Amino acid sequence: MEVVDVTATACGVDFGTSNSTVGWQRNGRSALLQLEDNRHTLPSVIFFNAEDDAVSVGRAALAEYLAGCEGRLMRSLKSLLGTSLIDGQTEVQGRALRFRDLLTQFIGELKRRAEHAAGRPFSQAVFGRPVFFIDDNAEADRLAENTLAEIARSVGFRDIAFQYEPIAAAFDYESQITREELVLIADIGGGTSDFSLVRLSPQRAGRAERRDDILANGGIHIGGTDFDKYLSLSGIMPLLGLGSRLTNNNEVPSSHYFNLATWHTINLAYTQKAWRELQDIHRDVRERDSFARLLKLVEQRDGHWLAIKSEEAKIALSQHDALTLPLERIGQEVRLQRSGFDGAIAHLVGAVEDTVHRLLHDAGVAADAVDTVFFTGGSSGVQLLRQGIAGLLPDARRVEGDLFGSIGMGLGLDAARKFG
């Protein structure tokens, strides 16, 4: 019979921009809890179903939305932390709902599902956090962490600690190695790209204090949703009139396209003010057919559907050189090339590479001293980004972790060390 430590009340929570996981220590080993449909990941999505007056999360939320149910889809909630939007509100089914309450609702559901899967309550947790919630703003970064801690306490976590997400991934990788290594952890998530340079070994793994093993941390607020955005702007939005001309030869204003291509601003395209502006523009556009597609998309509130299609294309282009993307809701299809995707995100990849270069410089470590690059995070599969990071460390071994589970596993290990 399997023996489980029923006294354990600690877990590790990876609240991600796109997906979330919860890890815990079971029989002396870290494991991920099943959160939805026997899967360890729960998409960080909430759907308010207006037809049934009900709320769903995760894959169920996405399925209801994509099935055409009337309602409101909310995603990339983590991106609100540290911004002024966290204290704002939105309208859902005719009721004002604070963004802070949205995060509380999702994290509370994440806790409930984890406890159901584990068969016990969790009162202690180590939450993962990016190296920087907000770039170059220490005060906003502290606010983001404090807000997340307040929300965690409000849903029932009594004791809360934080760990950098790449460090958590390092702990997961360390459980798999047999000798000492100097490792660059590259965690490319939905909202941020985070890096840690860490000395790892089986002997060091047992230490309670690991500060001396961490040579440097760095990060930048660029992640998978940014890649989705620029793929959409370069490859999909031209079908809706982006880059086309008005009768006075000026370009059609781009702000509405940028709102629709950015997860946490999609709903701004649905306001009455935005609709009036689009109607005014429509009277002066030259390419009326393409702009009519934009009007149809906004009128049907299909912005999140389009963003999901862009995400699907990004994932496909991480594996293939080209694809034909069907866009049935606007009656079109588009041929997308990886080379075009690479061109659209080159400026983002360059900024990420600069972050890695600064990290090595700050640590005083030569590139050839790094033994391994450990890739994790759902967006680490983007080929241009992976090649760029690996190219900075040509002698290092490349290892791919569990793209969606390494952080949660590592946080589970850290929770057991911190809280017992």
Side-chain angles (χ1 to χ4, degrees), residues 158-316:
R158 185 183 71 246
D159 301 315
I160 298 160
F162 286 92
Q163 182 58 266
Y164 290 136
E165 289 158 359
I167 295 297
F171 291 155
D172 178 46
Y173 177 60
E174 189 174 49
S175 68
Q176 308 166 35
I177 62 177
T178 58
R179 61 178 180 84
E180 181 171 305
E181 297 181 20
L182 179 58
V183 182
L184 176 72
I185 305 295
D187 169 27
I188 317 300
T192 58
S193 294
D194 293 309
F195 304 93
S196 291
L197 193 60
V198 194
R199 292 196 184 281
L200 302 175
S201 73
Q203 294 73 32
R204 294 172 188 269
R207 298 178 183 176
E209 177 54 59
R210 301 296 302 275
R211 187 172 303 175
D212 292 342
D213 295 335
I214 302 169
L215 279 66
N217 289 311
I220 189 168
H221 209 255
I222 291 173
T225 56
D226 299 291
F227 302 140
D228 300 342
K229 171 182 177 177
Y230 283 94
L231 176 58
S232 179
L233 289 170
S234 66
I236 300 174
M237 291 298 177
L239 290 174
L240 307 180
L242 178 61
S244 63
R245 296 284 173 176
L246 301 171
T247 53
N248 62 7
N249 206 39
N250 290 332
E251 273 198 11
V252 170
S254 62
S255 59
H256 300 284
Y257 299 99
F258 273 80
N259 282 340
L260 284 169
T262 307
W263 269 104
H264 62 276
T265 61
I266 288 172
N267 289 305
L268 296 179
Y270 303 148
T271 64
Q272 291 183 359
K273 178 176 180 290
W275 183 250
R276 287 194 299 269
E277 290 175 357
L278 289 172
Q279 293 293 326
D280 289 341
I281 295 168
H282 187 224
R283 285 191 286 270
D284 295 322
V285 296
R286 290 181 179 176
E287 298 178 19
R288 300 185 70 82
D289 288 348
S290 60
F291 201 82
R293 295 184 197 115
L294 174 65
L295 292 177
K296 179 182 179 182
L297 183 92
V298 172
E299 188 173 26
Q300 295 183 347
R301 298 201 169 198
D302 279 336
H304 288 93
W305 164 81
L306 192 66
I308 290 169
K309 298 297 287 187
S310 181
E311 182 181 31
E312 290 175 358
K314 174 195 68 180
I315 293 169

Side-chain angles (χ1 to χ4, degrees), residues 4 10-12 22-26 29-33 117-118 120 122 408 412:
V4 178
C11 65
V22 178
W24 68 321
Q25 192 83 343
R26 186 182 191 195
R29 302 185 64 174
S30 187
L32 293 177
L33 290 159
R120 74 192 65 192
F122 290 122

Side-chain angles (χ1 to χ4, degrees), residues 17 24 49 81 107 129 148 164 183 188 201 209 288 299 301 318 327 334 400 416:
T17 301
W24 68 321
N49 190 319
L81 291 169
I107 292 173
R129 56 150 295 165
L148 185 53
Y164 290 136
V183 182
I188 317 300
S201 73
E209 177 54 59
R288 300 185 70 82
E299 188 173 26
R301 298 201 169 198
S318 297
L327 298 169
V334 61
E400 182 173 297

